[in-house]
Amino acid sequence: MPTDCIEYRELPQFSELIRDYLDQKASVQPLYHRYPSLPHFEAQCQEKGAHFSTALREGLVTEWRRQYEGFRLSEASEAHLNALHEPTTFTITTGHQLNLFTGPVFFWYKIISVINLCKSLQKTYPHYRFVPVYWMATEDHDFEEIQSFRLGEVKITWQTSQQGAVGRFVLDASFEEVRNRINASFPDGERGQFLKALFHESYAEGRTLAEATRYLVHQLFDQEGLLIFDGDQTWGKTAFLPYALREIQEQITYQATQETLELMTPYKAQVNPRELNLFYLESGVRERLTREGDWIVRHDSGIRYSLEDFKRLCQEKPECLSPNVLLRPLYQEIVLPNLAYIGGGGEIAYWLQLKKQFHQFEVPFPILILRNSVLHATAKQAKKAGKLGVTFTDLFLSTSDLRTRVVQKIQTVYYDFTAQKNLLQEQFAALEKLAVQTDPSFLGAVKAQTHKQLKGLEHLEKRLLRAEKKKHETHLNSVEALQWELFPSRGLQERTANFSTFYLAYGPEWASRLYTELDPLYPYFSVMVWD
C-alpha cells in the first residue's frame, strides 16, 4: 500500500529548533555551515578534500583493515575500503550506541538513510566515491541506555556488574540468561529461526559487546557496503591527541559552545558544556576529567596529575583519552574524510552547538541531516483510522489534544466562544471610557469585572467541551486504543519497537521497502501501511 508522508513541522515530537532548521529560518542559519541539499555537496567535497591529508587516508585504511581482521567483506565493502586511498573518496556517517540486537528500530532508519544518501550522491557526482559509515559508540559508559530491547511486549535485559566503556564489556556467564530469553521469545518458523541464529552467532560467548555489535551490523548491512568504525583504538586517538591537548590547555569547547548558546537563546540547549570535555579511559573505568589550576583530576577517584605529567601520559597512551558528547563529533571529523552526519533530532540539536568549536579547531564542519523516521501501520489500522475520522497526523498528538481534535471534528454543536469574548471585550472597553470620563477610580473595578467575565466564558467553554467529550466517550476510547497500538506508551513507535517485530511480520520485504522509499534529503515522516 502507498506510503503517507507527514511534514516534521506538523508533529509535536520535534523541537522548535529542528523545525526551524528544516525551514532554514534566519535564527538558525548561523549554527550550520551548509544546508543539506545535493548541490551543496560539491563545495563540501572540495573543502574536506583540502583538509584531509594522504597520511590520514593511509592510516585510516590500515586501521580499518585491522578492525576487520577475520571478517569476509562483500564486494561493495571491499571496493569502498580500497577507494578510501583516493583523495576523491568521502564518507557519510551516522553514529549509534551498542544497543542489544540494534535496540529501537530507528537504528535501521539511520543506517539506511546513510546508505541511500551515498547512492544518491554517487549518481549526482560520479567523479567522487561515497562510503556509508556506522561509528560505534563503544566508549559510552551509560549501560542502562543499551542493556535492553523489546520484542513485542517482552523486554529482554542483560544484567552485568561490568563497568567502564560498554564496548569493552565481555559476553560472559551473565549473558546466558539473555540467550535463554531469546530462545523462549522468538517464535518457531523460518523467520524466527533466522533471528535466533543471527542473535546467537553475533553474541557468541567471550566476545566483547563491540565485537558482537560489529558482527551483527556487518551481517545486516555488509552487502550495501557499510563500513563500521570503532573509535576506541590507538591510531585514532593519536590523530586526535593534538586537538585534545589544545582542549586541555585552552578549554576551547567550553568557550566556543557558551558563545553559541547565547545565539541560541530562543531555543533550549541540548547539551551544556563542561570546562573540560574529556574522560580518562582504561579497563573498567571511564572517568570525567576536570582541571584545577595546573592539575588534571580524575573526578571519581580523585587521582591528580600535574599538567605536564598528564600530557606525557597522553603522549605515551593516547588511547586513555575519551571525548565526551561535545568533543566526539570533532574526533570523528578529524579521522574520517566525512561530508555529512545523519542523526535524530536530539543529535542534530547538539551538533548545531558545535560550529564555532570546529572553526576554532580549524576542522571543516559537516552538513547535518535529520535521519528518516517511519511509522508502520497495518491496512486494518489504516481502515480503522478512516472509520473513526482521524488522520495519521492526528494520532501524533498528545492524548488530550487528540481527544479535543476528534470532538471538534464530530460534534454537531460548536463551543467556540471567540465571538462572544470579542463582543464582551468591546462592551467593557466602552465601559472603561465611560469610567474614565466619570471617575477614573472606577477603572480598576471595570478591568477586574472584564477579567472575571472572560474567565467565566472560558470556564463555561471548557465545561461544555468536557460534556461533549463524555457524550462521545465510546468513540474516543476507540481512537485512544488505536493510538496506543501505533504509539506504545504514548511514544514514537520507532523508539520502542525492535526491528525483529517487523521482520517477523513482513519478512525481507520490510527492509527492501525501507531501501526503496527512504530519502534523508526529503524531510518527511513516513507512514508505511502494510497489507
Side-chain angles (χ1 to χ4, degrees):
M1 293 189 71
T3 297
D4 195 5
C5 295
I6 305 171
E7 291 193 57
Y8 286 116
R9 65 178 61 82
E10 295 183 43
L11 304 178
Q13 288 81 2
F14 293 85
S15 68
E16 183 183 5
L17 174 61
I18 295 303
R19 293 196 295 267
D20 287 354
Y21 175 61
L22 294 175
D23 288 339
Q24 303 180 62
K25 288 195 174 178
S27 56
V28 184
Q29 288 178 12
L31 305 179
Y32 61 88
H33 187 34
R34 294 186 177 95
Y35 189 75
S37 65
L38 284 175
H40 290 164
F41 277 89
E42 175 67 47
Q44 194 73 17
C45 289
Q46 295 289 337
E47 182 181 17
K48 188 66 181 185
H51 282 80
F52 202 79
S53 69
T54 301
L56 270 174
R57 284 187 177 277
E58 296 305 315
L60 174 63
V61 174
T62 300
E63 170 59 28
W64 233 322
R65 290 211 175 275
R66 185 196 67 79
Q67 293 189 21
Y68 272 104
E69 285 177 2
F71 282 81
R72 178 177 293 178
L73 295 179
S74 68
E75 219 176 282
S77 293
E78 185 65 42
H80 282 158
L81 200 46
N82 285 329
L84 282 162
H85 287 290
E86 303 300 323
T88 52
T89 299
F90 300 95
T91 60
I92 304 294
T93 302
T94 192
H96 198 68
Q97 298 164 300
L98 309 186
N99 297 75
L100 285 187
F101 216 38
T102 73
V105 69
F106 71 81
F107 171 82
W108 279 68
Y109 309 153
K110 293 174 88 169
I111 298 294
I112 293 176
S113 293
V114 166
I115 292 169
N116 282 357
L117 178 57
C118 285
K119 292 177 181 177
S120 295
L121 289 169
Q122 200 63 67
K123 291 177 184 176
T124 307
Y125 299 105
H127 50 292
Y128 294 116
R129 290 294 294 275
F130 302 95
V131 178
V133 173
Y134 163 44
W135 181 291
M136 295 195 295
T138 52
E139 296 178 40
D140 280 4
H141 60 272
D142 193 345
F143 181 59
E144 286 186 10
E145 289 190 359
I146 67 165
Q147 69 180 136
S148 304
F149 79 95
R150 288 189 176 276
L151 175 58
E153 297 300 316
V154 178
K155 185 178 182 181
I156 298 174
T157 303
W158 178 21
Q159 301 289 354
T160 180
S161 59
Q162 297 176 69
Q163 295 184 328
V166 297
R168 301 182 181 189
F169 283 20
V170 177
L171 304 179
D172 55 15
S174 67
F175 201 77
E176 193 58 32
E177 176 59 24
V178 177
R179 295 190 183 94
N180 293 336
R181 293 290 304 280
I182 289 293
N183 289 333
S185 300
F186 281 119
D188 293 328
E190 184 179 349
R191 294 174 186 174
Q193 291 300 324
F194 167 78
L195 292 171
K196 281 183 194 178
L198 177 63
F199 187 92
H200 291 309
E201 288 170 10
S202 302
Y203 295 90
E205 187 173 358
R207 279 184 176 154
T208 65
L209 186 56
E211 290 167 345
T213 304
R214 179 186 294 276
Y215 184 94
L216 172 63
V217 178
H218 182 73
Q219 295 303 308
L220 294 171
F221 300 105
D222 174 50
Q223 292 300 318
E224 297 292 336
L226 180 76
L227 296 184
I228 303 162
F229 194 80
D230 183 353
D232 186 9
Q233 31 79 13
T234 302
W235 173 80
K237 296 296 178 66
T238 301
F240 174 61
L241 182 59
Y243 301 86
L245 293 179
R246 277 193 67 193
E247 172 73 8
I248 291 168
Q249 190 67 43
E250 304 174 39
Q251 300 176 334
I252 289 173
T253 299
Y254 179 76
Q255 295 172 20
T257 308
Q258 288 286 44
E259 291 176 20
T260 300
L261 290 178
E262 291 178 11
L263 296 175
M264 296 178 68
T265 47
Y267 309 106
K268 181 182 177 182
Q270 187 70 19
V271 180
N272 288 308
R274 297 186 183 278
E275 292 187 1
L276 189 56
N277 293 277
L278 290 161
F279 289 89
Y280 178 83
L281 185 65
E282 64 180 28
S283 181
V285 173
R286 189 173 188 243
E287 230 175 319
R288 183 163 64 88
L289 293 172
T290 60
R291 181 171 173 179
E292 297 177 4
D294 289 333
W295 294 89
I296 300 297
V297 182
R298 288 164 53 178
H299 183 266
D300 297 332
S301 64
I303 295 173
R304 301 165 67 86
Y305 307 85
S306 71
L307 192 55
E308 291 307 312
D309 284 346
F310 191 74
K311 287 180 180 178
R312 277 193 292 272
L313 173 64
C314 294
Q315 286 163 347
E316 292 168 6
K317 294 197 324 178
E319 64 273 15
C320 76
L321 284 174
S322 177
N324 78 350
V325 66
L326 289 178
L327 210 53
R328 190 210 65 78
L330 184 75
Y331 176 30
Q332 170 190 296
E333 297 300 311
I334 289 165
V335 299
L336 295 180
N338 197 51
L339 303 176
Y341 184 81
I342 295 181
E347 290 175 282
I348 300 304
Y350 74 70
W351 273 85
L352 288 169
Q353 297 178 203
L354 300 178
K355 181 185 171 186
K356 191 172 185 65
Q357 175 216 53
F358 272 70
H359 178 74
Q360 296 283 1
F361 279 112
E362 299 179 320
V363 176
F365 195 59
I367 294 172
L368 304 178
I369 304 173
L370 186 65
R371 66 167 171 84
N372 290 113
S373 287
V374 182
L375 172 67
H376 297 284
T378 64
K380 182 179 178 181
Q381 289 168 328
K383 185 177 180 181
K384 184 177 180 182
K387 186 177 179 181
L388 291 170
V390 294
T391 65
F392 283 113
T393 305
D394 293 336
L395 293 168
F396 279 84
L397 295 169
S398 69
T399 301
S400 175
D401 289 345
L402 175 61
R403 289 172 68 90
T404 299
R405 173 76 61 86
V406 171
V407 168
Q408 288 171 343
K409 285 184 176 183
I410 64 176
Q411 68 190 72
T412 53
V413 180
Y414 294 91
Y415 306 109
D416 182 356
F417 287 4
T418 302
Q420 288 82 356
K421 290 175 191 174
N422 291 338
L423 180 60
L424 195 65
Q425 287 173 323
E426 289 174 12
Q427 291 174 334
F428 274 98
L431 284 174
E432 285 181 21
K433 290 179 181 178
L434 187 61
V436 169
Q437 293 171 2
T438 306
D439 185 344
S441 64
F442 281 105
L443 186 58
V446 174
K447 287 183 177 293
Q449 193 61 225
T450 305
H451 180 75
K452 181 180 178 181
Q453 294 298 326
L454 286 172
K455 280 292 181 185
L457 273 178
E458 289 173 5
H459 180 65
L460 180 59
E461 188 176 23
K462 288 177 181 178
R463 285 187 63 188
L464 289 168
L465 186 57
R466 279 199 299 270
E468 189 72 19
K469 286 180 180 178
K470 190 172 182 180
K471 188 168 73 174
H472 299 290
E473 196 64 30
T474 301
H475 187 98
L476 291 171
N477 287 342
S478 296
V479 172
E480 273 194 61
L482 177 61
Q483 187 187 47
W484 187 268
E485 290 175 16
L486 295 171
F487 295 81
S489 302
R490 299 293 189 263
L492 290 176
Q493 179 193 78
E494 63 179 28
R495 304 196 68 85
T496 303
N498 182 258
F499 84 95
S500 57
T501 297
F502 305 107
Y503 181 83
L504 288 169
Y506 310 118
E509 184 189 346
W510 174 74
S512 297
R513 187 170 175 185
L514 294 178
Y515 281 115
T516 300
E517 298 191 21
L518 297 189
D519 179 355
L521 297 183
Y522 187 67
Y524 291 85
F525 201 114
S526 300
V527 180
M528 294 187 179
V529 179
W530 296 83
D531 289 322

